[in-house]
Amino acid sequence: MRGGTDALSLAKRAAVYLFQEQPDFVVGGCSDISEIISAWLGRKGYHARAVYGGARYGRKPWFMHAWMEIEGKRFDPVLWVQGRRMSKYEY
């Protein structure tokens, strides 16, 4: 496998590009954006997959959400591209 730092950098750039081109698709389609970027990274030789489950911010209610696991590390392209801190969310 290739380096996780490279894969994360590519995922971040892809999220920014998709958000600039189709912001409603990115914000409203957490599973779609996670699947698309994961598949794209996979074709480039990285280990990436979409993960489905729940997330919440602080004590707010849980919501259905999707994010990514890239080279063993969690990355949430929707929250990241919106400038939100993933560390403030529970998955």
Side-chain angles (χ1 to χ4, degrees):
M1 287 291 137
R2 298 170 74 178
T5 304
D6 295 339
L8 183 59
S9 177
L10 287 171
K12 288 178 176 181
R13 287 189 283 167
V16 168
Y17 172 78
L18 291 169
F19 185 67
Q20 290 172 341
E21 295 297 315
Q22 297 288 329
D24 293 335
F25 170 75
V26 173
V27 174
C30 58
S31 61
D32 294 334
I33 190 94
S34 295
E35 290 284 355
I36 288 169
I37 295 174
S38 293
W40 178 67
L41 288 173
R43 288 187 182 126
K44 294 189 156 300
Y46 297 102
H47 182 266
R49 68 183 183 99
V51 179
Y52 295 87
R56 74 175 174 175
Y57 180 82
R59 295 186 181 262
K60 291 186 178 182
W62 288 89
F63 57 93
M64 296 302 296
H65 193 47
W67 57 93
M68 300 171 60
E69 185 178 283
I70 301 173
E71 301 290 333
K73 296 186 180 188
R74 181 174 47 230
F75 175 62
D76 189 325
V78 173
L79 296 180
W80 182 84
V81 80
Q82 291 177 341
R84 298 182 187 184
R85 287 188 179 160
M86 291 178 289
S87 61
K88 300 236 178 205
Y89 286 79
E90 186 177 349
Y91 293 81

